[in-house]
C-alpha cells in the first residue's frame, strides 16, 4: 500500500466521520433528560456514539475508496493480486474492536451500578399495572392514576402487574422496567427538573397497549409534600372525576367531561343509548354493573377486554361517586 | 431413513444414472442422521427441564414446597416401570447382537419382547395418570409433571411405532448380518428413549 | 421454465387408470385423504374425552390444536410424503428407484413430492418470495395505518395481528427457508455430490413450509381474532389471546420442524457426501456458513418448539407453566424463547455471510482474505450466540446478576463479526471489481449491516437498552440487520445463482434499478426510526403521540416506495425466467464446483465425480485449480 492511498483513505474517513458527527450533534436524538439516571445514560450513549462513528467511518472510507479505485473496466478480464491474508493486519482488526467493546462494557457496567443505587432514604412508590392503566400508590396508602414525584430525591418504584406483562417508561426519565405478574421489580429514578412528562407502556399488553399512557409530574420537594398532605388533589372538579382518573378509565374510554379519548372500550358519552340497548335496568344500575361485573353485558362489537378487578379495587363510596359522575355526564 | 445409497440398490454403475456416490466419512449417513436427530431431541427435553427448573428452583414452586402439599408422586409404581424400560433396553440390545451374529430367531424374540415391555410401560403410565389424583391445571408442579412424563410418553409411542415396523420386517425375512441397519438405528432411538426416562424419573419422582 | 432432461433407466410405473388414480400419490389423493384425517382429528379427541368422562366432550381449543396436526398430516399423506417409509416399515419391497422423482419436466413437477435437490431449491425460493410479498403487504397495510396518529383503517386488535404476522412470515417463512432453499440448490453442487444425503426427507421438509405459511395466514382470519401477541408471543398475554393464536403457535411448530429436518440433511450431506479431495478446509465459505447455521438450528430450534408447546398447554389444558397464580415463573417463557430466538438471528445471518463471501471474492477477482479465520469466526459466532439470549430481557426483571455477563458476551460478538467485515473489505482491496447486481447487493449489505450491527452494540449496553428497549429504535435495528443484512444477501444470492438455477440471464439494468430503489427506499424508511424511538415512540402501537406525526408520515410514504421497488424485482425475475438470454455454464468465471457444469446442471449434477485438488478461491493464482474432472475416482468407501 502506497503512502498516497493511505492519505486519501484517511481523508475520506475524516470526511465520513465529520458528516456522521454533524448528524449526531445537530439532530436532537435524545429527549431532554429529567433525571440523574437519564444524564448518565446519555453519557454512555454519547461515549458509544463516538466509537461507532469511528468504526463506521473506517468501513465507509475503505468501501468508498475501493468502489472508486478498484473498478474493473468493461473488458477487463484480469484477476487481482492473489493475496491470501496478512497475519499482522488480522491481529490488529481483532484486537482494536476487542478493546473498544471492552471500554463500552466497562462504562456501561459502572453506569448501570450507579443507576441502581437508591440511597438510604428513598421515597417508595408502588406501581401496579393492569390492562390498560397505571396505578401509583404512595406510602400513605393513597393511590392515583398519574405519578407525582419530588425533584432531587431518590425514588424507588416497586413495579408489579395484575394480569399480563407491561412496561413502565418515561422517555425524559430514561429508566424503564417491565411490570411482571407475580413479581416485584425495582426501578430507581431521581428527578432532576420539574415538569410534566409522558409515562408510556412499552410492552405489548393487548389491544389497549397503545393507549396505556399516563403522566409523571415532577414538583419541587416542598410542593410535593403539600401535595401529598392535601391528599393528592391537585385541583377542583367533581369527586367522581378523581376516581375516573385514578383508575385510568380514560385509557380505554372516550368521555368528554373528563377530556378522555380512549378508543378501546365503548364511548361513555353515549351511555344512555347503550343502557337502553342493553336493557339491563336503570342507567345507574347498568353503569355500576358494567364496572363491577363487565362481563355481564358486552356492548356489540367489543370483547370482554375490561379488567374484572374494579369491583374489588374501588371502595364503595368512590364507586358511588364514579357511577354518579358517569350517569350525569352521559347524554 | 432413506439414503441416497439405498436409491441405487440396483447397481450403481449403470449409464445415465447418477454417478457412484463417494462417501467422505466412515460413519454411515443414516446413523449420523439419527445421532443428530437425538441431539435435537435432547434439546427438546432440555426445554422441558428448563421450565421445570424455573418453576421449581427460581420460583420456589408453590409456597416453597416441592411437591406442594397434597400432591403425591407414585414413586414405587414408576420405579417398577423404570425397571421394565431398562429391561427392554437389554432385550433390544439382544435383538441387535443376534442379527449381527446371524441369529434371526434371537432377533425376532428380542424385538417382540422389547415391544411387549414398551407397551406395558406405556399402559402403566396411562393408568398412573388416571389414578394420580391431580390434573394438569393444579399448579405448576402438575404442569411440569405431566409435561415431562407426557413428552417422554410421546417418545415411547414413537419408539414403539418404529419397533413395530422393525418387528414386521424381521418376521417378513428382512435383515441379515450384512444388512441390519434398520435394527441398529431403531435400537439407537430406543436406547435414547430409555436413558431419557431414567433422567426424567430421577428428576420428576425422586429429587 | 427449465426442463431437465431425464433419461429413464426403467420405464416409469404404468399410469394408473380409473379408481386406482385415487390411490397414487398426488392431488387427487389429497382431496380425499385430507378430509379423512380432518374427521379423524375431530373424532379422536371427542372419543377420548368421552371415554375419560371429561367435560365438555366438545372443546374448541383442543379440537383446533389437534386438527392443526392431523389435517396437514392428511395433506402430506395424500401428497405421498410418507409412501416410501410406509412401504419400508410394512416390510414390502420398496419400489426400485426409477428416478422419476428427479428433475422437472413441466411446471406440474414443482407441485409434487420431488426428490431432486435442485427442484426443491427452486420450490423453496419461489415459495419464500411469495411469503415475502404477503408479509410485506401486511407491512404496507399497517404503515398506512401509522401514517397518521389515531385509528384510521384498523382497530388495535387487527393492527397487532398485522404486526405479528408480518414478522412471523418474514422470519419463519421468508428469511430462514429462503436460505435453506439457496443452500439446498447449491450445497450438493458445491460439494460435488449428486444429491442430498436424504432426498425424501428433503422433499418432505419443503412441503411442511406451505402448511406453516397457510396456517399463519388462516390464523389471521379466524373468528374471534387472529394472533396478536407479537412475533415473540410472550406469556401470559399469548395464552389469553383469541383462538387465532393457536394457529400461530402451531404454524411456528411446522416451520420449525421443516427447519430442523433441512438442517439435519445439510449436516449429514456436508459430513458424508463431499467429493474426493474436498476437505473441510477446501469447502467454499457458503458451505461452511450453512454447516454452522445447521448446527445452530439443530441445537436451538427445539427450544422454540418447547416454548410454543408450553403456551399452548397453558391455554388448552390450563397448565401453569407461566401463570403466576399457579406457581409458574412468568419470565421462564422469555428465557426459553430467546434461547432459540437469539441464535435464530444468526440463523438468519450466517448463511448470508456465506453468500457474500462467494459474491465478493468472484466479483473482485481475488481470493477471500483470511479464509481460515473467516471459517473460524463463523464458529465463534455460533458458540457465542448461545451465551447472549438474555440481552433481550435487560428490562424484563430477570435476575440482576445476569445483565453484565450477557452484555459482555453480546459485545464480544462484534469481534468475530468485525473480522468478517474487515476481511471482505480486504478482499475487495486492489481487486478488479465488477459491479454486477449481486455485487451491488453485497456492498449494500456491507454498509447497511454495519449500521445495524452498531445499533446492536448500543442495545447490548444495558443502560442504553434500558432507554431504547421496546421503542422504534429496536424496530430500526431489526430492519437494518434483517433487511439491510439478510434480505440484501438473499437478493444477492438470487441474482448470483439465477443463471445457474434457470439457465437464463437476468436483466442487468433492471437488477441495478431494483438495487438502487431498494437501497434508497430502505434508508428513507428505516433510518428515521432510530430518531423517533429514542424520542419516545414505543413499538407495536396503532396510535401514537401527535408529535411523531410528521416523521411517521414520511416513513410511511418511503415504505410504499420501498415496497414498490419489489415490483421491479418480480418483473425482472418472471420475464428473465421466461425470455432471458440463455446463460453459459460459468458466466462469472467462478471456480467453485457449481459453475463447472452446464446451466442448469444435469439431473444428477455431475456425469462423473470431480476430484478436488485445491482451494475454491484461487483467483489470480496462475495455474491454480479447485477441481479436476475425469481423474480416476478412488473406489467408493462402503457406507455400512
Ligand atoms: C439478522 C438478525 C440480527 C443480527 C445479526 C443481530 C445482531 C446483533 N444484535 Fe440484534 N436483534 C435482532 C436481529 C439481529 N440482531 C432482532 C430481530 C431483534 C428484536 C427482537 C424483538 O424483540 O422483536 C434484536 C434485538 C436486539 C437486542 C434487544 C433489544 C431489546 O429488545 O431491548 C439487543 C441487545 O443487546 C441486540 C444486540 C445485537 C448485537 C450486539 C448484535 C451483534 O451481533 C452485531 C455485531 C456486528 C457489528 C458490531 C458490526 C460489525 C463489526 C465491526 C465493524 C467491528 C467493530 C465494531 C465495534 C468496535 C463496535 N439485538
Ligand atoms: C426479515 C424480516 C423483515 C422484513 C423484510 C421486514 C420488512 C418491512 N418491515 Fe418489518 N418487522 C420485522 C421483520 C421484517 N420486516 C420484525 C421481526 C418486526 C417486529 C414485529 C413485532 O414487533 O413483533 C417488524 C416490525 C415492523 C414494524 C414495527 C411495527 C410495530 O412495532 O408496530 C414496522 C413499522 O414500520 C415494519 C415495517 C416494515 C416495512 C415497511 C418493510 C418493507 O421492507 C416491506 C417491503 C416488501 C413489500 C411491500 C412486499 C413486496 C412488494 C410487492 C408485492 C409489491 C406491491 C407493493 C406495493 C406497490 C406497495 N416492520
Ligand atoms: Cu400495558 Cu402495554
Ligand atoms: Cu439477540
Amino acid at each position: 500500500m502506497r503512502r498516497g492511498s493511505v492519505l486519501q483513505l484517511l481523508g475520506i474517513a475524516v470526511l465520513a466521520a465529520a458528516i456522521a458527527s454533524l448528524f449526531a450533534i445537530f439532530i436532537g436524538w435524545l429527549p431532554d433528560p429529567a433525571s440523574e439516571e437519564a444524564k448518565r445514560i446519555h453519557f454512555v450513549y454519547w461515549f458509544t456514539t463516538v466509537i461507532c462513528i469511528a468504526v463506521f467511518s473506517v468501513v465507509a472510507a475503505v468501501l468508498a475508496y475501493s468502489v472508486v479505485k478498484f473498478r474493473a473496466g468493461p473488458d477487463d478480464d484480469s484477476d487481482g493480486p492473489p493475496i491470501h491474508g496478512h497475519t499482522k493486519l488480522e491481529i490488529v482488526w481483532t484486537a482494536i474492536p476487542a478493546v473498544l467493546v471492552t471500554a463500552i462494557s466497562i462504562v456501561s457496567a459502572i453506569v448501570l451500578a450507579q443507576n441502581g443505587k437508591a440511597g438510604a432514604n428513598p421515597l417508595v412508590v408502588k406501581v401496579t399495572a393492569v390492562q390498560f392503566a397505571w396505578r401509583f400508590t404512595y406510602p400513605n396508602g393513597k393511590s392515583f392514576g398519574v405519578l407525582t414525584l419530588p425533584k432531587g430525591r431518590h425514588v424507588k418504584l416497586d413495579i408489579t402487574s395484575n394480569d399480563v406483562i407491561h412496561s413502565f417508561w418515561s422517555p425524559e426519565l430514561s429508566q424503564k422496567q417491565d411490570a411482571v405478574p407475580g413479581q416485584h421489580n425495582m426501578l430507581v429514578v431521581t428527578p432532576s427538573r420539574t415538569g410534566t412528562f409522558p409515562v408510556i407502556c412499552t410492552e405489548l399488553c393487548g389491544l389497549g397497549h397503545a393507549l396505556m399512557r399516563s403522566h409523571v409530574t415532577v414538583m419541587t420537594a416542598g410542593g410535593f409534600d403539600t401535595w401529598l398532605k392535601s391528599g393528592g388533589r391537585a385541583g377542583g372538579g367533581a369527586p367522581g372525576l378523581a376516581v375516573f382518573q385514578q383508575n385510568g378509565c380514560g385509557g380505554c374510554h372516550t368521555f368528554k367531561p373528563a377530556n378522555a379519548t380512549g378508543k378501546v372500550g365503548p364511548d361513555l358519552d353515549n351511555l344512555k343509548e347503550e343502557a337502553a340497548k342493553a336493557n339491563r335496568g336503570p342507567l345507574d344500575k347498568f353503569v355500576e354493573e358494567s364496572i363491577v361485573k363487565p362481563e355481564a353485558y358486552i356492548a356489540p362489537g367489543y370483547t370482554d377486554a375490561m379488567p374484572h378487578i374494579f369491583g374489588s379495587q374501588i371502595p364503595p363510596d368512590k364507586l358511588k361517586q364514579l357511577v354518579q359522575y358517569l350517569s350525569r355526564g352521559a347524554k | 431413513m432413506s439414503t441416497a445409497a439405498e436409491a441405487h440398490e440396483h447397481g450403481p454403475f449403470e449409464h445415465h444414472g447418477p454417478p457412484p456416490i463417494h462417501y467422505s466419512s466412515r460413519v454411515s449417513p443414516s446413523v449420523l442422521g439419527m445421532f443428530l436427530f437425538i441431539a435435537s431431541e435432547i434439546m427438546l427435553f432440555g426445554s422441558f427441564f428448563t421450565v421445570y427448573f424455573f418453576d421449581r428452583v427460581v420460583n420456589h414452586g408453590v409456597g416453597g414446597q416441592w411437591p406442594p402439599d397434597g400432591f403425591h408422586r407414585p414413586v414405587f409404581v414408576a420405579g417398577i416401570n423404570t425397571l421394565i424400560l431398562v429391561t427392554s433396553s437389554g432385550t433390544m440390545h439382544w435383538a441387535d447382537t443376534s442379527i449381527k451374529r446371524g441369529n434371526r430367531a434371537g432377533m425376532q424374540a428380542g424385538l417382540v419382547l422389547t415391544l411387549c415391555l414398551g407397551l406395558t410401560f406405556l399402559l402403566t403410565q396411562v393408568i398412573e395418570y388416571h389414578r394420580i389424583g391431580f390434573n394438569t391445571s393444579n399448579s405448576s408442579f402438575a404442569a411440569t409433571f405431566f409435561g415431562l412424563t407426557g413428552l417422554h410418553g410421546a417418545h415411547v409411542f414413537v419408539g414403539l411405532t418404529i419397533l413395530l415396523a422393525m418387528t414386521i420386517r424381521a418376521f417378513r425375512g428382512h435383515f441379515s448380518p450384512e444388512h441390519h441397519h434398520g435394527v441398529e438405528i431403531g435400537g439407537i432411538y430406543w436406547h435414547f428413549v430409555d436413558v431419557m426416562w431414567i433422567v426424567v424419573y430421577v428428576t420428576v419422582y425422586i429429587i | 421454465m427449465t426442463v431437465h432432461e431425464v433419461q429413464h433407466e426403467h420405464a416409469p410405473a404404468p399410469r394408473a387408470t380409473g379408481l386406482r388414480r385415487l390411490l397414487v400419490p398426488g392431488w387427487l389423493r389429497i382431496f380425499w385423504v385430507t378430509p379423512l384425517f380432518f374427521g379423524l382429528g375431530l373424532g379422536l379427541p371427542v372419543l377420548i374425552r368421552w371415554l375419560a368422562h371429561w367435560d365438555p366432550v366438545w372443546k374448541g381449543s383442543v379440537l383446533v390444536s389437534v386438527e392443526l396436526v392431523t389435517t396437514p398430516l392428511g395433506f402430506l399423506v395424500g401428497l405421498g410424503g410418507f409412501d416410501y417409509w410406509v412401504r419400508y416399515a410394512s416390510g414390502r419391497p420398496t419400489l426400485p428407484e426409477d428416478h422419476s422423482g428427479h428433475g422437472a419436466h413441466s411446471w406440474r413437477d414443482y407441485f409434487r413430492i420431488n426428490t431432486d435437490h435442485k427442484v426443491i431449491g427452486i420450490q423453496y425460493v419461489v415459495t419464500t418470495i411469495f411469503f415475502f410479498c404477503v408479509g410485506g403487504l401486511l407491512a404496507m397495510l399497517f404503515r398506512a395505518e401509522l401514517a397518521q396518529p389515531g385509528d384510521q383503517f384498523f382497530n388495535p386488535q387487527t393492527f397487532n395481528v398485522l404486526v405479528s404476522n408480518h414478522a412471523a412470515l418474514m422470519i419463519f417463512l421468508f428469511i430462514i427457508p429462503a436460505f435453506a432453499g439457496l443452500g439446498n440448490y447449491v450445497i450438493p453442487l458445491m460439494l460435488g455430490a449428486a444429491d442430498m444425503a436424504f432426498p425424501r426427507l428433503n422433499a418432505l421438509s419443503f412441503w411442511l413450509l406451505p402448511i406453516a405459511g397457510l396456517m399463519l395466514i388462516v390464523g389471521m382470519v379466524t373468528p374471534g381474532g387472529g394472533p396478536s401477541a407479537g412475533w415473540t408471543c410472550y406469556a401470559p398475554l399469548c395464552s389469553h389471546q383469541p383462538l387465532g393464536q393457536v394457529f400461530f403457535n402451531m404454524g411456528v411448530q411446522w416451520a420449525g420442524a421443516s427447519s430442523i429436518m433441512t438442517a439435519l440433511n445439510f449436516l449429514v450431506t456436508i459430513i458424508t457426501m463431499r467429493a474426493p479431495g474436498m476437505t473441510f478446509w477446501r469447502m467454499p465459505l457458503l458451505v461452511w456458513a450453512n454447516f454452522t447455521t445447521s448446527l445452530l438450528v439443530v441445537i436451538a430450534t427445539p427450544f422454540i418448539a418447547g416454548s410454543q408447546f408450553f403456551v399452548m398447554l397453558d391455554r388448552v389444558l390450563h397448565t401453569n407453566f407461566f401463570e403466576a397464580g399457579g406457581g409458574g415463573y412468568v419470565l421462564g417463557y422469555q428465557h426459553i424463547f430467546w434461547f432459540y430466538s437469539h441464535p435464530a438471528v444468526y440463523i438468519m445471518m450466517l448463511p448470508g455471510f456465506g453468500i457474500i463471501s462467494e459474491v465478493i471474492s468472484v466479483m473482485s477477482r481475488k481470493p477471500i482474505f483470511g479464509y481460515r479465520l473467516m471459517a473460524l469466526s463463523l464458529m465463534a459466532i455460533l458458540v457465542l450466540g448461545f451465551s447472549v439470549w438474555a440481552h433481550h430481557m435487560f428490562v424484563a426483571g430477570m435476575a440482576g446478576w445476569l445483565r453484565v455477563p450477557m452484555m459482555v458476551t453480546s459485545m464480544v460478538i462484534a469481534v468475530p463479526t468485525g473480522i468478517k467485515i474487515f476481511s471482505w473489505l480486504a478482499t475487495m482491496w486492489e481487486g478488479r471489481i465488477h459491479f454486477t447486481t449481486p455485487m451491488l447487493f453485497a456492498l449494500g449489505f456491507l454498509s447497511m449491516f454495519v449500521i445495524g450491527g452498531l445499533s446492536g452494540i448500543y442495545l447490548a449496553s444495558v443502560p442504553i437498552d434500558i432507554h431504547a428497549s421496546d421503542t422504534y429504535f429496536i424496530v430500526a435495528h431489526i430492519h437494518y440487520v434483517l433487511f439491510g443484512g439478510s434480505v440484501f444477501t438473499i437478493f444477492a444470492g438470487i441474482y448470483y445463482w439465477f443463471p445457474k438455477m434457470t439457465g437464463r440471464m437476468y436483466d442487468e439494468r433492471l437488477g441495478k434499478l431494483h438495487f438502487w430503489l431498494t437501497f434508497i427506499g430502505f434508508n428513507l424508511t428505516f433510518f428515521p426510526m432510530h430518531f423517533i424511538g429514542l424520542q419516545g415512540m414505543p413499538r407495536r402501537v396503532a396510535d401514537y403521540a401527535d408529535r411523531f406525526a410528521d416523521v411517521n408520515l414520511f416513513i410511511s410514504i418511503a415504505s410504499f416506495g420501498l415496497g414498490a421497488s419489489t415490483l421491479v424485482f418480480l418483473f425482472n425475475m418472471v420475464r428473465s425466467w421466461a425470455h432471458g438470454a440463455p446463460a453459459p455454464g460459468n458466466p462469472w468465471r467462478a471456480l467453485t464446483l457449481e459453475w463447472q457444469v452446464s446451466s442448469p446442471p444435469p439431473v444428477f449434477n455431475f456425469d462423473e465425480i470431480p476430484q478436488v485438488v485445491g482451494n475454491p478461491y484461487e483467483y489470480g493464482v496462475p495455474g491454480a485449480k479447485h477441481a479436476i474432472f475425469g481423474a480416476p475416482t478412488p473406489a467408493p468407501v462402503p457406507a455400512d
Side-chain angles (χ1 to χ4, degrees), chain A residues 28 49 70 72 80 84 176 183, chain C residues 365 397 433 458 467 469 535 618:
Chain A
T49 301
F70 305 128
H84 285 91
K176 181 186 288 124
Q183 205 169 312
Chain C
R365 312 304 306 160
I433 304 178
Y458 280 82
H467 180 80
S469 185
Q535 281 291 319
E618 301 293 75

Side-chain angles (χ1 to χ4, degrees), chain B residues 1-10 13-30 32-34 36-37 39-41 43-48 50-51 54-55 58-59 61-62 130 136-144 146-147 151 164-166 168-169 172 174-175 178-179 181-183, chain C residues 7 9-10 52 84-85 87-94 96-97 99 194-201 260 264 267-277 295 298-300 302-303 305-307 309-310 313 317-322 326-329 332 335-336 339 604 606-609 634-640:
Chain B
M1 217 158 277
S2 70
T3 67
E6 282 166 43
H8 311 299
E9 278 156 0
H10 56 290
F13 292 108
E14 276 169 4
H15 294 296
H16 305 301
I21 292 182
H22 174 267
Y23 284 105
S24 50
S25 146
R26 287 275 181 72
V27 50
S28 93
S30 22
L32 181 65
M34 180 48 92
L36 286 168
F37 177 61
S40 92
E41 290 274 51
M43 292 309 288
L44 182 60
F45 273 95
S47 73
F48 278 71
T50 312
V51 79
F54 279 127
D55 285 352
V58 178
N59 217 29
V62 192
H130 210 69
T136 49
S137 55
N138 301 124
S139 92
S140 60
F141 166 76
T144 52
F146 284 111
L151 178 71
L164 188 70
M166 279 154 45
I168 293 174
R169 280 175 69 81
R172 286 200 162 190
H174 293 260
F175 304 130
E178 296 78 40
H179 277 280
H181 245 95
V183 187
Chain C
Q7 282 120 333
E9 255 341 283
H10 320 267
Y84 177 89
W85 290 308
R87 214 176 270 118
Y88 173 89
S90 59
R92 275 180 287 165
T94 42
E97 181 66 75
H99 304 306
D195 205 325
M196 298 277 268
F198 308 122
R200 275 177 282 268
L201 187 69
I260 293 183
L264 283 179
L267 285 174
V268 175
T269 306
I270 294 170
I271 293 174
T272 66
M273 309 271 288
R274 281 166 286 129
L295 280 175
V298 167
I299 300 173
F303 263 68
S307 73
F309 277 135
F310 301 141
L313 293 174
L317 299 181
H318 308 291
T319 51
N320 290 294
F321 285 110
F322 307 123
Y329 182 58
H335 280 291
I336 295 171
F339 192 76
F604 296 109
F606 303 95
D607 292 329
E608 51 192 321
I609 295 284
V637 185
D640 296 5

Side-chain angles (χ1 to χ4, degrees), chain A residues 19-76:
Chain A
I19 296 173
S21 306
L22 288 183
F23 246 115
I25 294 165
F26 284 106
I27 298 179
W29 291 95
L30 292 161
D32 249 0
S35 75
E36 302 301 334
E37 289 75 18
K39 289 180 191 160
R40 294 189 204 109
I41 290 176
H42 289 198
F43 172 74
V44 189
Y45 174 86
W46 288 113
F47 183 81
T48 311
T49 301
V50 171
I51 292 179
C52 287
I53 285 182
V55 170
F56 183 74
S57 308
V58 170
V59 174
V62 178
L63 207 57
Y65 189 86
S66 310
V67 167
V68 175
K69 284 287 163 107
F70 305 128
R71 181 182 286 270
D75 298 315
D76 184 354

Side-chain angles (χ1 to χ4, degrees), chain C residues 7-253:
Chain C
Q7 282 120 333
H8 288 292
E9 255 341 283
H10 320 267
R15 275 196 148 231
T17 50
L19 275 182
R20 278 175 174 276
R21 278 170 48 204
L22 289 175
L23 292 179
V24 286
W27 288 88
L28 267 183
R29 198 167 85 177
I30 289 172
F31 285 127
W32 67 269
V33 177
T34 316
L36 192 75
F37 272 71
F38 181 81
L40 213 68
L42 281 187
L44 264 182
V46 171
L47 185 72
I48 292 177
R49 293 181 76 86
W50 181 70
L51 284 177
H53 302 293
W54 279 327
D55 213 43
V57 165
W58 190 271
K59 195 173 170 213
S61 56
V62 174
L63 288 180
V64 170
S65 318
V66 175
E67 279 305 347
L68 291 180
V69 179
T70 52
T71 312
L73 269 182
F75 167 79
L76 291 174
V77 168
L79 190 67
F82 304 110
D83 278 32
Y84 177 89
W85 290 308
V86 169
R87 214 176 270 118
Y88 173 89
S90 59
R92 275 180 287 165
T94 42
L95 288 185
E97 181 66 75
D98 62 3
H99 304 306
S100 62
H102 265 67
H105 310 268
S106 79
W107 60 271
R108 281 199 197 83
D109 285 337
Y110 288 95
F111 291 89
R112 61 175 175 81
I113 290 280
N114 201 316
T115 49
D116 185 344
H117 76 98
K118 298 186 289 302
V119 176
I120 295 175
I122 290 176
Q123 286 176 323
Y124 257 108
V125 173
V126 173
T127 312
T128 51
I129 289 179
F130 169 76
F131 285 118
F132 169 62
C133 292
V134 179
L137 287 174
L138 296 186
M140 297 297 105
L141 292 180
F142 68 69
R143 259 335 309 177
E145 167 69 47
L146 286 171
Q148 284 173 43
D151 293 347
Q152 286 89 41
F153 308 110
F154 307 108
N155 64 31
Q157 169 73 18
T158 316
F159 178 87
N160 290 344
V161 172
L162 293 176
V163 172
S164 311
N165 270 298
H166 160 67
L169 286 171
M170 287 296 189
I171 288 177
F172 299 118
L173 283 143
F174 173 47
I175 306 242
I176 296 179
F179 282 134
L182 288 170
N184 231 310
Y185 196 98
V186 182
I187 290 175
L189 283 163
M190 280 188 164
L191 291 175
D195 205 325
M196 298 277 268
F198 308 122
R200 275 177 282 268
L201 187 69
N202 202 12
L204 193 60
S205 60
F206 164 71
W207 281 101
L208 300 190
L209 265 197
I211 293 174
L214 213 62
M215 220 172 263
L216 288 177
I217 293 173
V218 171
M220 280 198 284
V221 293
T222 36
S228 45
W231 83 278
T232 49
C233 198
Y234 277 5
L237 177 66
C238 166
S239 13
H240 299 281
Q241 286 292 300
L243 200 60
Q245 193 72 48
V246 177
F247 285 80
F248 181 95
N249 299 140
M250 283 309 299
V252 171
Q253 303 282 31

